Amino acid sequence: MDLDTIYTGFFVGILFGFALQRGRFCMNSAFRDTILLREFTLLKAVGIALLVQMVGFTVLAMSSVIELNPAPLLGLANVVGSFVFGVGMVLAGGCASGITYRVGEGMVGAMTAVMGLVTGILMTSSGTLKTVMDELLKRQPEFTADVDDLVVSSNKAFTLANVVGVPHEVMALGIAAVAVAIWGFFAWRNREEDTDEAGSYRLVERIFKRGWNWFFTGIAIGLIGMLGFWLSYEAGRPAALGITGGYKNIFNRQFGIGADPVMDWIGMFIIGTIAGSFVAAYFAKELKLRAPSPNTLILTFIGGLLMGFGAVCSGGCNIGHILSGVPQLSLGSLLAGAAIVLGGWVTSYVIFVLPQRAS
């Protein structure tokens, strides 16, 4: 892997971390807020990002710029691993990308969560938890997809398109068109007077000092995801954005695991994401070292540990499966994404809702 192309990972990470921090984009908050506060603002940002990438990935693949690489269907490992991941992200106070960008802001709780995440990744990929993962993977479905669609040919993963038997571009663009039509209808029906005062600020101030609204955040995350897939593909890594693999790469190199001593594209992406968040927080005057109570630090570490196990077991985290996998219509990612949401909802209900009802 050429060093010049590897550094494009750092560039994409800078953009990604900046957008995450300015948009407060965290899937744990997006899913949790729907059950706790009946608030859907961040969830709408996630939806916009998915739609942008669903169309963008398809167009890039049709143009032969990239080749889609949907995650395989792992069955029980997807369900158990991703459910555990969902539990962990609530305990950690953020998803894999959420705790990463909050490290750049100076949040000590996010730092301990990342320490737990890395510990869980290493213990599951090559340590004591590997036997648990192997047992779950033994129950992987014993089949492969007969993929005739040339757009989805890099592995024999099941997707909505090849299972139904239609070209990927027809399925993906069709889903996107229907989603946009439904979204537009309800947006028009529930329209309210626009009270956003962003227009009164200069462009530089709106980008660097004001929080981004959900629509702009979703568009930005989606476009960065498209750029990341293309540059990663050009660097010899034919996959979209992810978090788990990046941390694994960084610490495998740190401890001398693996033959290549050079950081790869996805490892540079993680470093760039933290740096991008740092820059964003600095210009917005939100950069500050903040530490919660010792008990909270322990809880965030445990949450990160569960996320690390779940992500490796399921073959991806919230970024790998939801942000990157769902737009490729991977059945494995759809199953994993549903399990992440369910794990987050159940944990949020037990930790936050039940105590309120009991008081």
Side-chain angles (χ1 to χ4, degrees):
M1 189 178 286
D2 188 271
L3 282 176
D4 290 338
T5 57
I6 290 174
Y7 287 127
T8 63
F10 182 76
F11 170 70
V12 173
I14 289 280
L15 298 178
F16 192 62
F18 192 96
L20 291 176
Q21 201 281 333
R22 290 289 72 223
R24 314 306 299 174
F25 188 91
C26 175
M27 291 190 190
N28 173 57
S29 300
F31 304 143
R32 181 196 62 203
D33 289 353
T34 61
I35 191 172
L36 294 183
L37 306 174
R38 299 294 188 267
E39 170 60 55
F40 300 92
T41 301
L42 275 177
L43 190 62
K44 290 189 291 187
V46 174
I48 288 289
L50 294 181
L51 284 175
V52 169
Q53 291 194 144
M54 188 175 295
V55 174
F57 289 174
T58 301
V59 172
L60 290 176
M62 291 171 64
S63 304
S64 300
V65 174
I66 63 169
E67 185 177 1
L68 296 180
N69 189 18
L73 179 62
L74 302 179
L76 191 61
N78 283 138
V79 174
V80 174
S82 291
F83 185 89
V84 170
F85 182 92
V87 172
M89 72 179 185
V90 175
L91 299 180
C95 60
S97 53
I99 61 175
T100 299
Y101 90 74
R102 287 172 183 145
V103 167
E105 291 181 333
M107 297 187 67
V108 178
M111 297 176 191
T112 55
V114 167
M115 291 170 58
L117 177 70
V118 171
T119 302
I121 290 171
L122 297 179
M123 289 178 65
T124 310
S125 59
S126 57
T128 56
L129 292 177
K130 189 174 185 302
T131 55
V132 179
M133 178 184 67
D134 291 341
E135 284 299 316
L136 291 171
L137 288 174
K138 286 180 182 178
R139 291 155 177 79
Q140 181 178 348
E142 294 293 333
F143 47 69
T144 56
D146 181 14
V147 181
D148 294 323
D149 182 3
L150 293 179
V151 175
V152 186
S153 60
S154 58
N155 64 24
K156 299 298 183 180
F158 274 89
T159 69
L160 286 178
N162 60 43
V163 167
V164 174
V166 300
H168 175 85
E169 61 269 22
V170 173
M171 177 68 76
L173 297 179
I175 291 174
V178 171
V180 169
I182 294 173
W183 197 321
F185 171 77
F186 282 103
W188 174 83
R189 181 177 170 181
N190 300 320
R191 64 192 182 280
E192 298 178 357
E193 184 179 353
D194 185 9
T195 59
D196 185 9
E197 299 180 356
S200 63
Y201 299 107
R202 293 179 302 172
L203 179 61
V204 171
E205 186 173 3
R206 282 153 50 186
I207 292 175
F208 288 91
K209 295 186 178 181
R210 300 287 166 180
W212 295 356
N213 65 35
W214 62 268
F215 185 79
F216 186 80
T217 299
I219 294 290
I221 295 293
L223 292 176
I224 293 167
M226 290 171 55
L227 177 67
F229 201 160
W230 170 52
L231 293 178
S232 174
Y233 190 87
E234 289 295 312
R237 176 186 172 269
L241 300 184
I243 297 292
T244 309
Y247 280 115
K248 182 180 178 183
N249 169 244
I250 291 171
F251 285 89
N252 276 352
R253 298 296 180 261
Q254 184 70 26
F255 295 116
I257 304 173
D260 188 356
V262 178
M263 189 86 68
D264 69 12
W265 193 95
I266 195 64
M268 293 297 293
F269 168 75
I270 294 295
I271 296 173
T273 299
I274 296 173
S277 173
F278 177 90
V279 170
Y282 175 80
F283 281 108
K285 300 187 184 305
E286 295 174 358
L287 182 64
K288 183 180 179 181
L289 197 64
R290 289 159 287 178
S293 67
N295 288 341
T296 300
L297 293 178
I298 294 172
L299 190 63
T300 58
F301 179 86
I302 293 172
L305 185 70
L306 293 176
M307 285 199 293
F309 164 78
V312 175
C313 185
S314 183
C317 60
N318 61 294
I319 297 299
H321 275 312
I322 298 178
L323 188 67
S324 298
V326 170
Q328 298 181 71
L329 307 182
S330 163
L331 290 186
S333 291
L334 288 165
L335 181 62
I340 289 173
V341 174
L342 183 60
W345 277 352
V346 169
T347 310
S348 295
Y349 186 82
V350 171
I351 291 179
F352 301 113
V353 177
L354 288 182
Q356 290 180 354
R357 292 187 174 182
S359 60

